[in-house]
C-alpha cells in the first residue's frame, strides 16, 4: 500500500470545495484551479485515488444520495437485514472482523502489563497510527501530528508498555485501506480487535460492523439494532468514542436528515471515506454486472 500524504491533502481540499459549492456543481476546471493543478493532472490524480471521476464522485457525497440510501433502507426493513445478514462483497467487512473486549482487569488497570506495538502508515485518507496488543489491534486513529497521536494512544493506556513496531496483526488490518480489499479476502482468516470499552460500547461497535460497504445508517437505526430504540444519544456517544478508525465504520453513521454530520477525525475526511467507499462498490458492481 503506497500512499502519498500530499495527495490526500489535495483530495481533502477538493472535497471541501465540492461540499461548499455543491449547488453550483463546480466544473473540472474550477476543481483543478482550487487544487493548483492542471485539469488533466487533477482528473488523473482524483481518478487514481477514487476510482471514478470527480463528477461521478460528487454524487456519492450528496445530500440527495444519502437521503435515497436511507429511504431504500426503510423500504427494505434494514433492521431485519442486519439481523439475518446480507449477501455479497459488501458484508465481508462484518464477517472478516472479530471483536474481543478487554478483561475487567485489563480495563480497570489502564493497560498495566500490556505490551502495545504501534506503527504509523499512510492511507488514502491521510496518516494513521495503528496499535496492537498480543490479542489484536486496539487503536487506530487518523492524525496530522504524530506526536499528538502518540500522546493520545498512551493516554488511553497510561500504564502499558509501548514499542514502535509493526506486527502481523497490524498488517492484516492495513489491507482494508486498499482499493480492492474485498476481492482479496482470505477465506477463514479474521482480523482481530482487542478493545477497551463498556458492554454497551462493544455492542454498538459490533453493530457498526454490520453496515455494508457503500451503505449508511443513522443513530436511531443503530439504537434499534441493539434492542434499545430510545438510546440514540447514548449510541452517538459510543460511536464518538470508537477507538478503531475506518475498520469499525463509525463514518457510515449519519443524521436521519441525510446530513453527514460530525466525525472524530474531521467531517471532510468522513465525506472522503463515504464517497470513496460508494465509488468502490459502484465500480465493483459494474465489473460483476
Amino acid at each position: 500500500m503506497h500512499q502519498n500524504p500530499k495527495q490526500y491533502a489535495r483530495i481533502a481540499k477538493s472535497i471541501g470545495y465540492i461540499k461548499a459549492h455543491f449547488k453550483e456543481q463546480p466544473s473540472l476546471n474550477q476543481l483543478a484551479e482550487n487544487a493548483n493543478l492542471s485539469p488533466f493532472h487533477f482528473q488523473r490524480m482524483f481518478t487514481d485515488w477514487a476510482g471514478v471521476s470527480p463528477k461521478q464522485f460528487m454524487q456519492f457525497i450528496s445530500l440527495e444520495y444519502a437521503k435515497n440510501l436511507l429511504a431504500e433502507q426503510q423500504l427494505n426493513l434494514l433492521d431485519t437485514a442486519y439481523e439475518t445478514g446480507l449477501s455479497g462483497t459488501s458484508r465481508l467487512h462484518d464477517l472478516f472482523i472479530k471483536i474481543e473486549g478487554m478483561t475487567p482487569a485489563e480495563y480497570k488497570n489502564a493497560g498495566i502489563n500490556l505490551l502495545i506495538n504501534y506503527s504509523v502508515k499512510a492511507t488514502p485518507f491521510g496518516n494513521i497510527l495503528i496499535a496492537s496488543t498480543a490479542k489484536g489491534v486496539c487503536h487506530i486513529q487518523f492524525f496530522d501530528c504524530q506526536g499528538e497521536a502518540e500522546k493520545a494512544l498512551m493516554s488511553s493506556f497510561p500504564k502499558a508498555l509501548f514499542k514502535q513496531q509493526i506486527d502481523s496483526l497490524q498488517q492484516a488490518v492495513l489491507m482494508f485501506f486498499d482499493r480492492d480489499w474485498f476481492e482479496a479476502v482470505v477465506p477463514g482468516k479474521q482480523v482481530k480487535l482487542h478493545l477497551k470499552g463498556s458492554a454497551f460500547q462493544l455492542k454498538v461497535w459490533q453493530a457498526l460492523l454490520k453496515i455494508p460497504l457503500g451503505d449508511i445508517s443513522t443513530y436511531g437505526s443503530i439504537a434499534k439494532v441493539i434492542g434499545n430504540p430510545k438510546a440514540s444519544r447514548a449510541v452517538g456517544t459510543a460511536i464518538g468514542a470508537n477507538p478503531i478508525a475506518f475498520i469499525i465504520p463509525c463514518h457510515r453513521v449519519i443524521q436521519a436528515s441525510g446530513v453527514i454530520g460530525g466525525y472524530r477525525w474531521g467531517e471532510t475526511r468522513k465525506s472522503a471515506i463515504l464517497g470513496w467507499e460508494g465509488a468502490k462498490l459502484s465500480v465493483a458492481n459494474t465489473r460483476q454486472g
Side-chain angles (χ1 to χ4, degrees):
M1 180 177 62
H2 301 287
Q3 304 292 341
N4 183 348
K6 290 183 178 179
Q7 181 193 50
Y8 174 70
R10 279 179 163 161
I11 293 291
K13 182 181 178 183
S14 297
I15 291 173
Y17 185 86
I18 289 170
K19 288 174 68 67
H21 299 86
F22 192 86
K23 290 183 179 180
E24 300 100 87
Q25 290 289 294
S27 67
L28 175 62
N29 287 343
Q30 289 172 314
L31 293 174
E33 183 179 356
N34 178 69
N36 296 317
L37 292 172
S38 70
F40 172 80
H41 284 99
F42 176 78
Q43 176 98 347
R44 186 173 68 177
M45 177 196 71
F46 200 99
T47 304
D48 284 347
W49 177 82
V52 296
S53 70
K55 185 176 181 179
Q56 291 171 303
F57 185 87
M58 285 185 200
Q59 68 173 311
F60 296 113
I61 61 171
S62 70
L63 179 62
E64 182 181 1
Y65 182 78
K67 284 181 175 180
N68 287 340
L69 279 181
L70 293 177
E72 287 175 13
Q73 291 168 6
Q74 293 297 320
L75 291 174
N76 295 333
L77 299 176
L78 182 65
D79 295 349
T80 302
Y82 279 172
E83 297 298 330
T84 59
L86 301 169
S87 60
T89 56
S90 62
R91 272 300 306 281
L92 285 176
H93 197 153
D94 170 33
L95 301 175
F96 199 56
I97 296 175
K98 179 182 178 182
I99 290 179
E100 177 180 339
M102 292 192 174
T103 65
E106 289 170 332
Y107 189 107
K108 180 181 178 182
N109 295 329
I112 194 168
N113 296 326
L114 271 182
L115 174 61
I116 296 178
N117 294 328
Y118 74 93
S119 59
V120 170
K121 291 291 177 181
T123 79
F125 318 108
N127 291 321
I128 60 165
L129 184 148
I130 178 170
S132 54
T133 70
K135 295 181 180 179
V137 170
C138 62
H139 183 94
I140 301 176
Q141 71 175 103
F142 294 106
F143 70 85
D144 296 315
C145 171
Q146 182 173 337
E148 291 180 3
E150 290 173 339
K151 186 177 179 180
L153 167 65
M154 293 173 187
S155 67
S156 296
F157 303 95
K159 296 182 181 179
L161 300 174
F162 295 91
K163 184 175 183 180
Q164 189 166 357
Q165 173 179 293
I166 193 167
D167 57 32
S168 60
L169 291 164
Q170 297 171 31
Q171 289 172 331
V173 164
L174 290 171
M175 67 174 287
F176 280 84
F177 290 96
D178 290 338
R179 177 181 296 170
D180 298 321
W181 68 265
F182 48 84
E183 296 179 2
V185 169
V186 180
K189 185 177 180 181
Q190 282 188 317
V191 167
K192 297 179 181 179
L193 304 179
H194 187 207
L195 304 185
K196 182 178 74 171
S198 68
F200 181 84
Q201 287 174 323
L202 291 169
K203 197 172 185 179
V204 170
W205 300 338
Q206 187 71 56
L208 296 179
L209 294 178
K210 298 181 183 295
I211 308 173
L213 176 76
D215 215 331
I216 53 178
S217 188
T218 65
Y219 300 99
S221 291
I222 297 297
K224 291 176 184 176
V225 167
I226 65 171
N228 199 341
K230 296 182 179 180
S232 295
R233 183 166 294 186
V235 163
T237 300
I239 289 173
N242 170 31
I244 304 291
F246 189 73
I247 305 303
I248 294 181
C250 56
H251 58 271
R252 295 179 190 161
V253 182
I254 70 169
Q255 297 175 19
S257 63
V259 173
I260 287 178
Y263 184 52
R264 184 174 179 178
W265 296 284
E267 188 175 329
T268 296
R269 182 174 276 116
K270 184 175 183 177
S271 295
I273 297 172
L274 287 173
W276 188 87
E277 290 186 334
K280 295 298 160 288
L281 187 59
S282 177
V283 170
N285 288 339
T286 300
R287 289 175 183 169
Q288 292 173 1

